[in-house]
Amino acid sequence: LIIFAGILLVSVNLIGKSFFTPEGSEMVYSWKEALRYGSFQAVSAQTSTGFTTANYDLWPFPPQLFMLLLMYFGGMSGSTAGGLKTSRFFMLFKNSIYKIESIFKPEKIKKFKIGNTSISPEVINTVLIFFFVAVCFAVIGTIIFVLDGIDPETAFGTVTCMMNNIGISFRAAGPTESFAF
């Protein structure tokens, strides 16, 4: 569902937007082209394949944002895709719902389960600590790059790329550039 939502969000935001062909002429994304390029880049961002078929740095900001979010979601647990893994996001979401319910209904005793499997408090704490460490590294890494003279968009895109083993980034490390800086 996440990959389909990502494809939809990226593609819909491209319909009617202009782009340049390899020959240098300006064209407008039809719904077919938006779906083709948007789905390829969304899948590439989430699965960490690192392939590009379009210069997404020239795209509007919303599809770039959705690609950046997909880079963090990554694949399913046990997959070789980069990212923080969807199972951890699911556990974080379920834990948030669980904690909110316990605020409004403190007398209710409920086991934390995913499917039919009970999840121990230690596992939940490990996931929360993992997210905290990931956010800290993303913030610290971005700050270090910015202090080194790199623009914030390139810095955050590069940190996201490196932390999640993605292979694609934005701006100075985008699809037509390299990490040579």
Side-chain angles (χ1 to χ4, degrees):
L1 289 176
I2 292 170
I3 195 103
F4 287 124
I7 288 170
L8 182 69
L9 289 169
V10 171
S11 299
V12 165
N13 280 284
L14 290 176
I15 297 172
K17 304 298 188 272
S18 62
F19 70 99
F20 291 95
T21 64
E23 297 80 33
S25 60
E26 187 174 4
M27 303 280 290
V28 175
Y29 280 105
S30 66
W31 70 269
K32 287 180 184 179
E33 290 165 329
L35 183 62
R36 176 180 169 230
Y37 289 107
S39 62
F40 187 91
Q41 291 311 137
V43 169
S44 180
Q46 185 170 2
T47 60
S48 70
T49 54
F51 294 126
T52 60
T53 57
N55 187 356
Y56 51 80
D57 266 343
L58 301 177
W59 289 359
F61 290 129
Q64 292 180 39
L65 173 68
F66 297 134
M67 283 177 54
L68 192 67
L69 293 174
L70 288 171
M71 290 165 71
Y72 273 99
F73 270 99
M76 299 301 290
S77 64
S79 75
T80 58
L84 301 178
K85 306 293 185 214
T86 54
S87 58
R88 289 189 182 112
F89 278 101
F90 183 69
M91 287 180 70
L92 186 66
F93 174 75
K94 288 276 288 190
N95 188 44
S96 299
I97 299 296
Y98 177 76
K99 292 297 182 186
I100 290 170
E101 283 180 354
S102 68
I103 290 170
F104 293 107
K105 297 179 183 178
E107 70 282 352
K108 186 176 180 182
I109 297 173
K110 185 177 170 185
K111 280 193 153 196
F112 187 84
K113 287 185 164 187
I114 295 181
N116 293 328
T117 307
S118 291
I119 306 297
S120 69
E122 292 82 23
V123 172
I124 296 166
N125 285 338
T126 302
V127 169
L128 291 172
I129 290 168
F130 181 81
F131 273 100
F132 177 75
V133 169
V135 168
C136 287
F137 276 127
V139 169
I140 291 167
T142 302
I143 290 170
I144 289 170
F145 275 131
V146 169
L147 292 174
D148 195 37
I150 297 171
D151 68 280
E153 291 174 338
T154 300
F156 187 65
T158 300
V159 168
T160 300
C161 168
M162 298 302 171
M163 279 182 52
N164 298 306
N165 193 31
I166 300 300
I168 61 174
S169 189
F170 297 90
R171 307 302 174 257
T176 60
E177 303 297 331
S178 72
F179 288 94
F181 61 89

